[in-house]
Amino acid sequence: MFDNLSDKLNSAFKKLKGRGALTEKAIDEGLKQVRMALLEADVNYRVAKNVISDIKKRALGQEVMESLTPGQQVIKIVYDEFSRMMGSSHEELSLDGKAPNAVMLVGLQGAGKTTTAGKLALYLKKNGKRPYLVPVDVYRPAAIDQLKKLGSQLDLPVFQSTQEMKPLDICLAAERRAREEGYDTLLVDTAGRLHVDEELMAELVGLKTGLNPAEILLVADAMTGQDAVNIAGSFDKALDLSGVILTKMDGDARGGAALSIKAVTGKPLKFIGVGEKSTALEPFHPERMASRILGMGDTLSFIERAQDAVDQKKAEKLEQKLKKNQFTLEDFRDQMASVRKMGSIKELIGLLPGVNKKMLSGLNIDEREFVRIEAIINSMTPEERRTHAMIKGSRKKRIARGSGTTVQDVNKLLKSYTQTMKMVKKINKGGMRSLRGMLPF
Amino acid sequence: MAFNLLKKKGNTPEETGNGLFGKLKQGLSKTRDILFTDIDELFSSKRTIDDSLLEELEESLIMADLGVDLTLEIMERVSKKSKKLSTADELKAVLKEEISALFPAGSAEEDPSGAVKPQVIMVVGVNGTGKTTTLGKLATKFTNQGKKVLIAAADTFRAAAIEQVEVWADRANVGIVKHREGADPAAVAFDGVEAAIARGVDILLIDTAGRLHTQKNLMEELKKIKRSVGKRLKGSPHEVLMVLDATTGQNALSQARLFNEAVGITALALTKLDGTAKGGIVASVAHTMDVPLKYIGVGEGIDDLQDFDPNLFINALFD
């Protein structure tokens, strides 16, 4: 079986060695794998279908970036589209209205509302707010007790509701109390309910009308399957949510529900719950979620790093030089430096398409070797770097001294450089398709 | 199990009147709803077997959370066979066979009140699936069957979990063994078995804290609970019931696998079927783990836990 999407894509693209723009055939083949990955991650069937067709429209005719394979290029498009869908950055709660502002937590049973209420209160307190926990779950046995206990564990104030009170009465009384005590944010922990329970959904609408909350957050389980669209859609329709908190993200669920929920509601994911501890609440980062759903953090980070490290214009210039066999030792050094900027060489080779862990196990790369090579080239004069043929005996000695190496080392470098140049001449039409061509060692 | 159902139906008038019967009927329709409500619709109009029918079928299976792998597996076999078929009805029969084959036969399952006393049932699962609620409903169910039931409140971690299970014990009118919050859950379970033996109880239900299957030390804690139960009463726990949430997607497989590795699951319960989730992943779990699905939760009420009978389910699904 395939470990992740990038493996799948690599195998799908093995046959495709074409260059330039992505062909429809290549895209279809790649997107089939992407679709499977989405479904395996619990992205809703119809959402996945729409995403795929959007991506296809974007991908058609796109140029393949010089530093990427077609498979990686498709992943990049998918990833960009995902990040775009998820929102570009973390969105904070908007609690700047006249105090006290209310934050309502809603969701199904067992999604983690009460636990999240505690975590969120702690988070707000750390950010200079004065939160007030308001237990409104009068249905589940001991739900109110749970929040009261959490409150005392975390040293946070809790409104003393009782099961006999009506939810709206609790909220209004808590609001009055907050004004008296100077609490600026109410965290309203509502009872878990099914989105198809009309009576209980109507109760939430009543709370919204009576309380006019600044935020209504859906608390949803990261492990939710296909039904996420129905759940989130119903809550959003009834309440016009302001955001979503995804819980139980410390498990191994891929969390495709995040994409489904975002697609259906259009509301931002604001936080994720990542553990049993009360501090285990983190701001949501769209790009991390995208790579988690795709199950391919490695390749994505490689693509990111490649994008950062390789300046497009520079790369084009280099390719021109290579084509004209004008690739000097200077270029060689620059290229190596930009590769090294991306991480350790072994790690990078491991990320390359077609390279698996088995192949890597026999590979013993001395990272210091690259430092030596850089030092040697740095010890040359600009002229020497441009015309390596002029480097003879006494120059070699000087360079070895300057770089703290030996004449043998300098010879070795010059030899591999000439070999590389021979290779470049041969594969000139292949250009810099893969980084592997750049590593003659 | 079908027999059970009929027997209960006979009991209803003097017990709770129409309520329980209504629930049973509702339960049956819920059973029918699991996985594939839409499939009947696919077959309802007199359609011919073509690619679009097969594609819609595939969509329904995936939308029911059956999972990509299992769906593809089933679809491959179904579409292979479909070449020899001419009507959608025949295709339906093929599909019925395929789905029946997913559920391990649960017929040889005996009543947990059977041989040894007390029967120890340990309830496990990730956070928020409805362990305590399921346990409360089970307590009621067994009590109604004339069994003497005891509950051990071994979720000592979550705030007010003990209070929660106490409420259920009250409702079911059964005894409870508890320690303080933060106490060693294995010790609570051990005391539970001890008390169950001393009091001549038929069934001991052990409530455990919800835990993510990926939390190594919490899974170790669960193993310890099981060991300590076995230490006090050889051969126990007799049942390790894993509670799955019907809204859960593919992750249920990973949950079941890791819980099984830790404590050996013997039965499944599927909760929250009264929503719109189809809970198809349970078919995947039952299939890959070879563990029977015993109960389904269809509501908040104390009677809203139904026996799950695969045969009944398949028939209800297609008739």
Side-chain angles (χ1 to χ4, degrees):
Chain A
M1 278 308 289
F2 297 107
D3 277 329
N4 59 35
L5 181 62
S6 59
D7 285 350
K8 285 184 186 179
L9 283 172
N10 288 335
S11 89
F13 283 114
K14 222 174 229 167
K15 292 174 213 139
L16 299 165
K17 294 206 179 98
R19 304 200 44 205
L22 285 170
T23 65
E24 188 164 0
K25 197 182 152 213
I27 294 165
D28 280 343
E29 194 51 47
L31 290 186
K32 214 161 84 189
Q33 304 298 333
V34 175
R35 180 175 166 266
M36 298 288 289
L38 295 186
L39 293 176
E40 275 165 10
D42 287 322
V43 175
N44 179 269
Y45 187 90
R46 283 169 197 152
V47 172
K49 209 170 179 175
N50 291 341
V51 172
I52 294 294
S53 95
D54 283 354
I55 292 174
K56 189 175 168 181
K57 273 181 221 145
R58 279 171 169 259
L60 265 176
Q62 267 207 25
E63 290 288 324
V64 179
M65 267 175 71
E66 283 310 326
S67 48
L68 302 178
T69 65
Q72 288 171 339
Q73 183 74 31
V74 171
I75 293 172
K76 182 179 146 25
I77 295 165
V78 172
Y79 173 68
D80 289 349
E81 177 72 12
F82 260 52
S83 307
R84 195 185 60 80
M85 281 183 73
M86 292 283 196
S88 48
S89 60
H90 167 62
E91 278 193 49
E92 271 293 340
L93 298 175
S94 52
L95 300 171
D96 305 324
K98 192 172 170 287
N101 288 291
V103 177
M104 251 171 91
L105 299 175
V106 302
L108 296 188
Q109 293 94 340
K113 285 175 297 303
T114 306
T115 307
T116 303
K119 288 178 178 177
L120 199 55
L122 201 62
Y123 175 88
L124 291 173
K125 191 181 170 189
K126 275 186 192 152
N127 286 281
K129 294 279 180 192
R130 298 199 63 205
Y132 193 31
L133 289 164
V134 185
V136 188
D137 183 352
V138 295
Y139 307 102
R140 205 195 71 203
I144 293 176
D145 283 348
Q146 189 185 344
L147 196 61
K148 285 180 181 169
K149 284 198 170 180
L150 262 177
S152 72
Q153 278 168 22
L154 303 173
D155 197 21
L156 291 164
V158 185
F159 181 75
Q160 297 299 308
S161 339
T162 64
Q163 262 191 306
E164 289 70 39
M165 297 169 82
K166 290 210 173 73
L168 184 57
D169 293 345
I170 295 176
C171 290
L172 297 178
E175 200 175 25
R176 274 196 302 276
R177 193 68 203 267
R179 250 183 223 116
E180 289 161 17
E181 305 279 333
Y183 302 128
D184 55 19
T185 313
L186 300 180
L187 286 166
V188 181
D189 179 32
T190 67
R193 66 203 72 215
L194 284 168
H195 51 292
V196 286
D197 189 328
E198 282 170 27
E199 204 179 305
L200 285 180
M201 290 303 279
E203 179 198 284
L204 283 183
V205 176
L207 287 183
K208 182 188 174 180
T209 317
L211 199 58
N212 194 22
E215 293 268 357
I216 304 178
L217 302 173
L218 175 71
V219 179
D221 187 328
M223 302 184 281
T224 310
Q226 295 284 318
D227 205 40
V229 289
N230 297 326
I231 298 164
S234 305
F235 274 100
D236 192 38
K237 207 174 142 203
L239 297 165
D240 187 17
L241 303 168
S242 63
V244 179
I245 297 180
L246 213 56
T247 60
K248 305 180 204 174
M249 282 285 286
D250 46 331
D252 56 356
R254 297 259 295 280
L259 192 67
S260 304
I261 292 171
K262 187 79 214 278
V264 166
T265 63
K267 301 298 162 62
L269 283 104
K270 296 198 168 177
F271 292 94
I272 54 173
V274 291
E276 304 252 356
K277 292 210 181 79
S278 294
T279 48
L281 185 79
E282 290 178 358
F284 173 77
H285 289 286
E287 51 312 331
R288 284 185 213 159
M289 196 68 218
S291 64
R292 176 160 174 163
I293 292 173
L294 289 168
M296 42 175 302
D298 282 3
T299 309
L300 280 181
S301 53
F302 172 72
I303 293 171
E304 272 171 37
R305 279 181 274 175
Q307 268 175 301
D308 290 347
V310 182
D311 182 326
Q312 273 301 293
K313 275 183 190 155
K314 234 181 182 176
E316 271 163 36
K317 233 182 183 170
L318 268 174
E319 185 161 1
Q320 284 309 310
K321 282 187 174 176
L322 269 173
K323 276 187 179 156
K324 292 176 191 157
N325 300 325
Q326 290 170 349
F327 189 75
T328 64
L329 276 166
E330 202 157 31
D331 300 321
F332 186 64
R333 181 196 60 186
D334 289 350
Q335 188 62 19
M336 207 168 60
S338 72
V339 170
R340 283 172 47 73
K341 230 163 56 186
M342 292 160 63
S344 94
I345 299 297
K346 191 162 179 178
E347 184 193 356
L348 286 171
I349 292 177
L351 293 173
L352 288 170
V355 177
N356 59 37
K357 290 195 181 78
K358 241 189 225 162
M359 288 160 74
L360 275 184
S361 63
L363 194 65
N364 199 2
I365 297 171
D366 185 1
E367 300 280 341
R368 283 170 306 179
E369 183 82 355
F370 292 91
V371 181
R372 272 199 289 273
I373 292 169
E374 261 185 77
I376 293 171
I377 300 179
N378 282 339
S379 299
M380 296 174 184
T381 65
E383 210 189 344
E384 284 165 353
R385 287 180 210 145
R386 280 191 291 269
T387 15
H388 69 279
M390 69 190 287
I391 305 174
K392 299 275 188 296
S394 69
R395 285 181 193 264
K396 278 180 192 166
K397 264 186 217 154
R398 195 205 73 240
I399 293 166
R401 256 204 321 279
S403 58
T405 56
T406 62
V407 174
Q408 282 82 5
D409 288 329
V410 179
N411 278 332
K412 215 167 103 189
L413 168 68
L414 288 172
K415 202 176 157 199
S416 16
Y417 171 70
T418 22
Q419 272 173 357
T420 307
M421 288 320 289
K422 268 186 206 153
M423 221 164 71
V424 167
K425 261 180 207 167
K426 270 190 209 156
I427 55 161
N428 227 336
K429 273 176 198 153
M432 300 195 332
R433 173 104 322 257
S434 90
L435 287 166
R436 257 192 296 187
M438 296 308 306
L439 300 170
F441 310 103
Chain B
M1 282 212 177
F3 174 69
N4 253 353
L5 201 70
L6 289 173
K7 209 169 70 184
K8 261 195 248 152
K9 222 183 265 178
N11 284 343
T12 44
E14 60 266 28
E15 273 175 25
T16 39
N18 283 332
L20 189 54
F21 182 63
K23 286 285 184 202
L24 273 172
K25 259 177 71 177
Q26 189 202 339
L28 197 63
S29 76
K30 273 299 160 191
T31 310
R32 184 188 164 81
D33 280 353
I34 313 181
L35 315 188
F36 330 109
T37 348
D38 308 333
I39 287 184
D40 260 359
E41 285 164 30
L42 281 187
F43 290 114
S44 61
S45 52
K46 295 224 182 298
R47 292 182 62 168
T48 49
I49 304 171
D50 53 17
D51 283 353
S52 86
L53 178 65
L54 289 174
E55 198 176 304
E56 280 173 52
L57 200 55
E58 181 185 294
E59 178 178 341
S60 311
L61 296 182
I62 286 177
M63 292 277 269
D65 280 321
L66 203 67
V68 180
D69 289 344
L70 191 54
T71 298
L72 291 184
E73 219 179 277
I74 290 175
M75 286 312 296
E76 200 184 302
R77 286 200 295 268
V78 167
S79 57
K80 221 180 249 166
K81 287 178 188 166
S82 75
K83 284 176 190 127
K84 292 177 203 145
L85 308 173
S86 50
T87 68
D89 271 349
E90 288 170 314
L91 185 65
K92 197 166 146 181
V94 169
L95 192 64
K96 185 173 165 176
E97 270 170 40
E98 289 291 339
I99 296 168
S100 320
L102 296 179
F103 288 97
S107 54
E109 253 359 277
E110 57 179 73
D111 211 325
S113 60
V116 200
K117 252 172 67 166
Q119 285 284 301
V120 179
I121 302 176
M122 198 170 140
V123 183
V124 303
V126 301
N127 317 60
T129 56
K131 284 175 298 303
T132 307
T133 306
T134 301
L135 178 133
K137 291 175 183 173
L138 277 177
T140 309
K141 183 183 145 80
F142 293 138
T143 307
N144 287 344
Q145 288 171 5
K147 305 284 191 304
K148 194 172 175 193
V149 179
L150 182 69
I151 293 173
D155 179 355
T156 57
F157 176 76
R158 209 201 65 204
I162 299 171
E163 286 83 346
Q164 187 182 351
V165 77
E166 259 180 322
V167 173
W168 281 105
D170 267 359
R171 286 183 187 171
N173 199 20
V174 303
I176 184 166
V177 172
K178 55 170 185 173
H179 287 193
R180 297 180 53 178
E181 212 167 283
D184 178 7
V188 182
F190 187 91
D191 286 356
V193 182
E194 188 125 301
I197 295 168
R199 297 181 202 176
V201 159
D202 297 304
I203 297 170
L204 171 70
L205 294 164
I206 303 174
D207 189 27
T208 66
R211 65 201 73 218
L212 284 184
H213 48 295
T214 47
Q215 305 272 13
K216 284 236 166 65
N217 43 354
L218 293 181
M219 294 307 278
E220 285 302 321
E221 180 194 90
L222 199 62
K223 285 187 197 169
K224 189 180 160 200
I225 297 174
K226 191 187 174 188
R227 277 199 306 272
S228 75
V229 169
K231 235 179 238 167
R232 186 60 191 86
L233 181 64
K234 227 179 168 188
S236 74
H238 308 91
E239 182 102 287
V240 178
L241 180 69
M242 174 154 189
V243 180
L244 291 172
D245 180 334
T247 50
T248 303
Q250 302 308 297
N251 196 246
L253 276 171
S254 173
Q255 291 173 19
R257 192 165 51 241
L258 292 178
F259 269 94
N260 191 45
E261 274 170 24
V263 288
I265 300 161
T266 64
L268 301 169
L270 186 65
T271 60
K272 304 185 199 174
L273 270 171
D274 41 340
T276 45
K278 303 273 178 12
I281 194 63
V282 80
S284 269
V285 173
H287 174 60
T288 49
M289 317 274 306
D290 198 27
V291 171
L293 170 61
K294 276 200 174 170
Y295 309 104
I296 55 171
V298 294
E300 305 246 14
I302 197 155
D303 296 320
D304 292 336
L305 188 76
Q306 308 280 331
D307 287 334
F308 177 81
D309 172 14
N311 298 318
L312 206 66
F313 157 63
I314 298 295
N315 288 328
L317 187 59
F318 288 99
D319 295 339

